[in-house]
């Protein structure tokens, strides 16, 4: 069930978007291909590369449609232990659900290890730019097309990187979903390697944040609002600033979101960019329960308590998401 509450009409399509929109006064033009719901299982090619700075990257190129302008989604992962191997994650089957949906729509998907592990902010920003350059070149070679819109999806530290990338280079990126954005992360090289937040994003930012981690994201958005409106002190403000959206995930934890919540956020970011408005969905309470069929379900049996389903196990941190019904809890 979709539980996204806001003014407007709730839309739950086959892509699981679960977004809200205002009723249009006139029929909108057909959406670009990368915004339409997928109609088939995607076929794609994988291109592996090493950036000039030494990061390992993977680019997934869909084999769909004609040579028309495309979009790209760049995934920015979170903290990895210092000294661990630079391994590109999530690019082996089964792919994350959101990547499958994007590829089926003709969206190029890519990810990077960054040039090193540990807490990395300043250098990671440059690594994102290098990843973007590779994606543009691969799309031109493999598809004979241009990438017109590059979106970011950052998790934890990757969310903090995505915010800074959007602030610094709005001419190169179309927006970002920031999941559990760790905005207070400081680069291992120190404050000098951690660019300060300007609180002046000029492209859409959608924060998908667990209720136990709202405070710093709310503070960031509040400062953005003050810059947009002139700070309440007689200033002129800056109308180019885009006030971010905050989707509050109603479970505690860090990065604890379901595949459908993640997909809904990315779908809505793309729609926000396309339609130029997001007023009815800027603040939402989100709860999309995990679908047990999305993962290889393992039933854990215990005569003492109940049967539960292991929905997913994180490939890096080994955190476990369990599925339990309301009836069992009663």
């Amino acid at each position: 069930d979709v539980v996204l509450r806001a003014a407007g009409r709730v839309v739950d399509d086959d892509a699981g978007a679960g977004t809200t929109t205002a009723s249009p006064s006139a029929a909108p033009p057909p959406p670009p291909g990368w915004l339409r719901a997928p109609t088939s299982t995607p076929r794609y090619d994988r291109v592996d590369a090493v950036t000039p700075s030494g990061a390992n990257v993977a680019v997934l190129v869909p084999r769909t449609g004609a040579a028309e302008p495309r979009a790209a989604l760049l995934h920015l992962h979170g903290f990895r232990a210092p000294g661990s191997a630079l391994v590109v994650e999530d690019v082996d089957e089964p792919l994350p659900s959101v990547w499958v949906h994007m590829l089926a729509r003709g969206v190029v998907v890519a990810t990077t290890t960054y040039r090193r592990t540990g807490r990395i902010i300043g250098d990671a920003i440059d690594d994102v730019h290098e990843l973007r350059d590779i994606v543009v070149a691969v799309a031109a070679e493999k598809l004979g097309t241009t990438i017109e819109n590059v979106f970011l999806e950052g998790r934890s530290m990757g969310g903090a990187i995505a915010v800074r990338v959007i602030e610094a280079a709005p001419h190169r990126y179309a927006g970002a979903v920031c999941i559990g954005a760790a905005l207070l992360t400081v680069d291992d090289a120190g404050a000098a390697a951690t660019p300060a937040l300007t609180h002046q994003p000029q492209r859409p930012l959608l924060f998908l944040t667990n209720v136990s981690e709202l405070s710093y994201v709310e503070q960031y958005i509040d400062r953005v609002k003050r810059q947009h409106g002139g700070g309440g002190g007689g200033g002129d403000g800056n109308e180019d600033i885009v006030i971010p959206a905050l989707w509050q995930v109603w479970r505690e934890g860090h990065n604890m979101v379901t595949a459908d919540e993640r997909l809904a956020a990315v779908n809505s970011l793309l729609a926000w960019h396309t339609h130029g408005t997001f007023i009815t969905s800027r603040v939402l309470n989100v709860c999309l329960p995990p679908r047990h069929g999305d993962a290889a379900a393992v039933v854990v049996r215990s005569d003492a308590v109940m049967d539960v389903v292991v929905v997913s196990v994180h490939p890096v941190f080994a955190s476990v998401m369990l599925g339990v019904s309301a009836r069992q809890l009663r």
Side-chain angles (χ1 to χ4, degrees):
D1 296 332
V2 173
V3 190
L4 298 182
R5 304 299 184 194
R9 177 169 53 86
V10 177
V11 178
D12 179 19
D13 61 17
D14 291 339
T19 59
T20 63
T21 62
S23 297
S25 57
W34 46 265
L35 195 57
R36 299 169 194 154
T39 57
S40 62
T41 302
R43 299 176 61 198
Y44 61 91
D45 296 311
R46 172 176 164 181
V47 177
D48 295 295
V50 179
T51 69
S53 299
N56 295 321
V57 304
V59 183
L60 307 184
V61 184
R63 302 178 190 169
T64 57
E68 60 181 14
R70 303 292 184 99
L73 178 69
L74 312 187
H75 177 76
L76 314 181
H77 70 69
F79 171 81
R80 299 294 181 262
S84 56
L86 295 178
V87 178
V88 182
E89 300 169 8
D90 292 336
V91 292
D92 296 318
E93 299 284 353
L95 297 176
S97 174
V98 65
W99 293 11
V100 172
H101 279 262
M102 294 300 109
L103 289 168
R105 298 173 190 175
V107 176
V108 178
V109 176
T111 187
T112 175
T113 63
Y114 315 128
R115 69 189 67 185
R116 61 175 172 82
T117 51
R119 294 177 177 83
I120 174 172
I121 301 293
D123 285 341
I125 293 171
D126 293 334
D127 293 337
V128 174
H129 296 327
E130 291 184 351
L131 175 61
R132 181 191 184 281
D133 292 342
I134 289 175
V135 167
V136 170
V138 168
E141 177 184 348
K142 293 286 186 180
L143 301 173
T145 187
T146 57
I147 296 293
E148 286 195 345
N149 297 290
V150 178
F151 299 91
L152 306 176
E153 182 202 32
R155 304 195 69 157
S156 190
M157 181 184 74
I161 296 167
V163 170
R164 288 171 168 85
V165 169
I166 292 296
E167 288 187 344
H171 57 292
R172 304 192 76 196
Y173 301 91
V177 169
C178 305
I179 305 172
L183 297 179
L184 297 185
T185 301
V186 176
D187 195 295
D188 286 336
T194 310
L197 294 166
T198 67
H199 303 92
Q200 296 182 12
Q202 296 183 25
R203 292 292 181 267
L205 289 174
L206 194 161
F207 289 97
L208 189 63
T209 306
N210 292 98
V211 291
S212 52
E213 297 187 330
L214 290 173
S215 60
Y216 290 108
V217 173
E218 290 175 330
Q219 290 175 27
Y220 175 85
I221 294 174
D222 184 60
R223 293 190 64 177
V224 171
K225 289 179 178 177
R226 292 202 300 269
Q227 299 246 22
H228 177 269
D236 293 334
N238 185 346
E239 294 185 354
D240 292 332
I241 292 175
V242 178
I243 298 174
L246 174 57
W247 285 17
Q248 305 172 46
V249 180
W250 283 92
R251 70 181 64 88
E252 295 188 353
H254 175 61
N255 251 333
M256 292 298 292
V257 302
T258 67
D260 280 352
E261 289 163 350
R262 181 180 173 188
L263 176 60
V266 172
N267 281 340
S268 296
L269 175 71
L270 270 59
W272 184 0
H273 168 79
T274 300
H275 302 304
T277 181
F278 206 59
I279 190 65
T280 61
S281 301
R282 201 173 301 277
V283 178
L284 289 183
N285 298 333
V286 183
C287 183
L288 297 177
R291 292 181 289 181
H292 298 165
D294 288 349
V298 178
V299 178
V300 180
R301 301 199 173 277
S302 170
D303 295 335
V305 188
M306 66 183 74
D307 293 346
V308 300
V309 175
V310 179
V311 177
S312 65
V313 180
H314 195 283
V316 176
F317 300 111
S319 55
V320 179
M321 182 176 288
L322 303 177
V324 183
S325 70
R327 179 183 56 78
Q328 288 176 297
L329 293 177
R330 288 194 293 270

